[in-house]
Amino acid sequence: MNESRPSQTPTVLSDYRPYPFLLHRTRLAFDLDPKATKIRAELEFERRDNGSLVLDIGQGVDLRSLSIDGAQPDASQWRREGETLTIDAPNGAFTLITECVIDPSANTACEGLYLSNGMFCTQCEAEGFRHITPYPDRPDVMAPFEVTIRSDLPVLLSNGNPVTQAEGHAVWNDPWPKPAYLFALVAGDLRAVSGDFTTQSGKQVDLNIWVRPGDEPRAGYALESLIRSMKWDEDVYGREYDLDVFNIVAVDDFNMGAMENKGLNIFNSKLVLASPETATDADYERIEGVIGHEYFHNWTGNRITCRDWFQLCLKEGLTVFRDQQFTSDMRSPAVKRIEDVLALRSRQFREDQGPLAHPVRPESYIEINNFYTATVYEKGAELIGMLKRLVGDDGYRKALNLYFDRHDGDAATIEDWLTVFEDATGRDLTQFKRWYTDAGTPVLTMQEDWDGTGRLTLRFSQQTPPTPGQTDKPPRVIPIAVGLISPNGDEVVPTTVLEMTAAEQEFTFDGLATRPVVSALRGFSAPVVLKRNLDASGRAFLLAHDTDSFARWEAGRQLARDTLVAMVAGAEPDREYLGAVGQLLADGAADPAFLALCLRLPPEEEIAVAIADADDIPDPDAIHAAREKLATQIATTHEDTLRAIYRENAVAGTYRPDAESAGKRSLRLAALDLLNRVDGGKAAQDLYRSADNMTERSAALSRLIAVGQADEALTSFYKDFKDVRLVVDKWFMLQLAFARPEDAVAVARDLAAHPDFDWKNPNRFRALIGGLTENHAGFHAADGSGYDFLAEWLLRMDSVNPQIAARMSSAFESWTRYDNLRQERAKAALDRILDAPDLSRNLSEMVTRLREAA
Ligand code: TRP
Ligand code: ZN
């Protein structure tokens, strides 16, 4: 341990070399103790190439003994340096045995083996296993695992099938070879909510959702979601589960959403626990989606894993795409698509257009945990959607079947994935591959030319702005779904996919009786920014008539955004827009969830992006004021209709989280949001008092916070829920996200001093810090106090949990967008972080990249 500063050397994709040893079997024995857990590892290696045996080993691992085939090597035959253990290994087959001791109670990083409320649990992706025992901690080294756990705790879990479950010890056997990042162990006083599932070939699987005593009533929805996921993967992808048991454990201290460890998924408890009183409709939808996501990893991630971490999108992009399809099948495809595009634009476009931009498959990294990003996940999923559009549903099915056949048991690459599509469909994907290797969001410009005699020409040009380290951006293949609508509202050309492959390209449509209105980029057929000249009445027309629900919503969104941008510059609310909203509200046939999405105004951040895009400097306060003004104007113009909507969409009877009831509630609450500007919080007060579910209660509370009338409600909310951690998180978050901007930083400082601000708990930290950074004008306060507050807490968090500090630092990614004064303050805050001693590799990489934006 002669290296105190973590390694800053980048890992580079082209440096990949296969591991020179095969690992045939891994046997682990744990003697659990909070302060001194002993781990014995027995690894059966076989040499297949020259070189030493190099194992990864974390700084906190106390290595007590080491032997090869029963003999201790002498000191000259092995050395420990930094984070590696190098051993002169024999030829042929040999068994390495190590014994070491670690201190889970001192592990606050939630990586490796740690404690959460007295429960032992693990998180090994991406490189956490090395903090448990010395090991080739890389995804292309796969082995079957046999795990023995000794502990007095009542429930002892690991991957695979149970072999022995006795007082004080348990043995688990996982027959499927897996990399170390999929290892998991849990031990604690847990209760199971159980069920079973019979697979399509008739095998019965025991299902358990493990929670803390008392939480059982909130685990039912997760179990139902799991059963739906298992059925869906059989029906849609023909993928069956492959062990006798499937365990899910809910953990309160967890760095991300959830983890797909083989047969033993570990979840952030906020993605498992739900009851009508404590969880919102959005929480229920996310639980179903993430349970699906982790389950689907069993094939896309576990049975077929990644060769190295550069290939992360191979499992994440595909699995996100699969979970999106699942949610779309369980709920409303139109609504799901719009939600996904909203998330993509607000997180991934922002990343792709700022200092943290990187390709879906990066080529180098310093800290891999910094690359679990919206680009790898969400843009990665868009690439799968584009591939599917390009090769068609049949081609996609054939390709996926070939992928599972050919690569089952492999640690694969993006090249393998694309080759499968080429072999299955005969299509050349050379140009498509640029979507994986080139960062940045292409800007697609569309021009229309009507010749007056029946021919419409669409001229497209594509251009991708430079990103850090990449200036040259050759054209990519872009599938552009278009439809044509005649002025009377009839669709004259149904959805057609145009394949653009050049920097500039045109497509013609002949035999048209009149000049049609073009509905472009239907279904958001590619992750690009589309620029076109369409006036407000053209957009209002599409909002009223488009048959593609995404394009319809998009037209309304663009109209709202244009109106808001003009208002920030001093214009009055656009009449055309207000009229279009009226027409929309009068559409009795529309799906309430869809209407709710159309009614929601673009968030302030989105307006700031639009302003910066037009080469202006966004003023957060003016943006906030304009948005408030437009909302008020919509409410006064359409008050009666909004009141009717609010009344008519009350859902009677017991709360149910299904898509239909959730849709009605979301429309009702969108109406409340607007009405709140004209009734001084009256409807929100009434709803807060009468609500019997968290969806309505938290929405009412948010509205009251926004108008500064929440004192009483906040007190009673806290009193009612102070013992339910996940709800206390909401209490912190809402007070910041909806605070009036001028109060936000002061509220954040107050809340940071609250006795319940248990900041080492990742969810609590995210609630407070994330709540503030969500508040656009509040976080970007002109005096820089938001930046100072964030920097202060990132530094404090960094020595405790570097992953969380690094993740939350991305709130700085748009800092160069604002005026000089704000930039100076942000820069000073970033420099303060960089100057701090002992920065983690995680945070220092992030802040260095953020700082280079200047
Ligand atoms: N593989 C997980 C998923 O997407 C995410 C993950 C990666 C993760 N690293 C993690 C989760 C660290 C928790 C902690 O499903
Ligand atoms: Zn995943």
Side-chain angles (χ1 to χ4, degrees), residues 491-502:
E491 185 168 72
V492 286
V493 174
T495 307
T496 320
V497 179
L498 310 174
E499 274 185 44
M500 183 182 192
T501 53

Side-chain angles (χ1 to χ4, degrees), residues 108 113 137 247 375 380 406 417 424 561-562 612 661 667 729 764 827:
T108 56
L113 178 67
D137 190 5
N247 288 311
T375 297
R406 186 183 283 176
W417 164 255
R561 202 185 301 131
D562 289 350
S661 337
L667 177 56
D729 291 337
R764 192 58 51 86
K827 198 196 294 174

Side-chain angles (χ1 to χ4, degrees), residues 326-580:
F326 170 61
T327 299
S328 172
D329 286 352
M330 296 298 116
R331 292 163 180 258
S332 149
V335 169
K336 176 62 174 160
R337 186 64 187 141
I338 296 167
E339 288 172 351
D340 288 340
V341 174
L342 275 169
L344 184 81
R345 283 187 179 149
S346 72
R347 308 200 306 120
Q348 200 278 324
F349 277 27
R350 174 181 149 108
E351 185 166 79
D352 230 356
Q353 295 165 11
L356 301 179
H358 55 275
V360 171
R361 185 176 70 177
E363 258 142 48
S364 107
Y365 58 77
I366 290 175
E367 169 53 60
I368 184 58
N369 280 305
N370 290 337
F371 286 82
Y372 285 75
T373 59
T375 297
V376 170
Y377 276 65
E378 270 79 40
K379 188 176 180 182
E382 290 300 315
L383 304 200
I384 314 285
M386 274 196 289
L387 262 180
K388 182 164 181 279
R389 223 161 270 126
L390 289 169
V391 304
D393 291 353
D394 260 12
Y396 180 77
R397 193 170 318 113
K398 276 196 208 123
L400 267 285
N401 286 335
L402 180 59
Y403 180 62
F404 292 123
D405 279 352
R406 186 183 283 176
H407 290 294
D408 186 12
D410 288 353
T413 61
I414 288 302
E415 281 74 15
D416 293 330
W417 164 255
L418 290 175
T419 303
V420 159
F421 271 77
E422 291 185 328
D423 292 353
T425 67
R427 211 191 142 99
D428 179 355
L429 293 172
T430 315
Q431 193 190 17
F432 185 82
K433 194 177 173 190
R434 289 181 185 152
W435 281 104
Y436 283 97
T437 57
D438 296 6
T441 309
V443 177
L444 185 65
T445 309
M446 180 176 93
Q447 280 179 333
E448 299 174 39
D449 180 23
W450 171 246
D451 76 348
T453 66
R455 164 175 286 203
L456 176 76
T457 305
L458 298 182
R459 289 202 178 83
F460 292 94
S461 67
Q462 59 166 299
Q463 195 261 327
T464 306
T467 53
Q470 286 185 341
T471 42
D472 184 34
K473 308 279 185 181
R476 320 173 184 189
V477 53
I478 302 180
I480 310 168
V482 300
L484 302 181
I485 302 169
S486 81
N488 67 7
D490 291 342
E491 185 168 72
V492 286
V493 174
T495 307
T496 320
V497 179
L498 310 174
E499 274 185 44
M500 183 182 192
T501 53
E504 291 182 10
Q505 207 167 333
E506 59 179 53
F507 300 89
T508 56
F509 295 87
D510 286 307
L512 299 161
T514 48
R515 178 174 184 162
V517 179
V518 184
S519 161
L521 207 66
R522 285 186 155 182
F524 200 62
S525 58
V528 300
V529 172
L530 174 66
K531 298 221 157 138
R532 63 183 292 194
N533 276 325
L534 187 63
D535 61 11
S537 60
R539 300 207 191 269
F541 175 87
L542 288 176
L543 174 62
H545 298 289
D546 206 319
T547 53
D548 180 82
S549 48
F550 169 78
R552 196 178 162 203
W553 167 82
E554 174 83 320
R557 184 74 165 197
Q558 183 75 50
L559 202 49
R561 202 185 301 131
D562 289 350
T563 303
L564 284 160
V565 169
M567 286 176 69
V568 173
E572 283 303 304
D574 185 88
R575 291 278 126 204
E576 191 104 47
Y577 174 69
L578 293 171

Side-chain angles (χ1 to χ4, degrees), residues 63 66 72-80 85-88:
L63 181 60
L66 183 162
Q72 257 180 274
D74 64 51
S76 68
Q77 289 172 304
W78 67 278
R79 62 198 171 275
R80 182 174 181 176
L85 180 63
T86 307
I87 305 167
D88 299 340

Side-chain angles (χ1 to χ4, degrees), residues 260 293-294 297 315-316 319 377:
E260 71 265 23
H293 180 97
E294 305 311 331
H297 267 314
K315 74 178 177 80
E316 294 305 345
T319 306
Y377 276 65

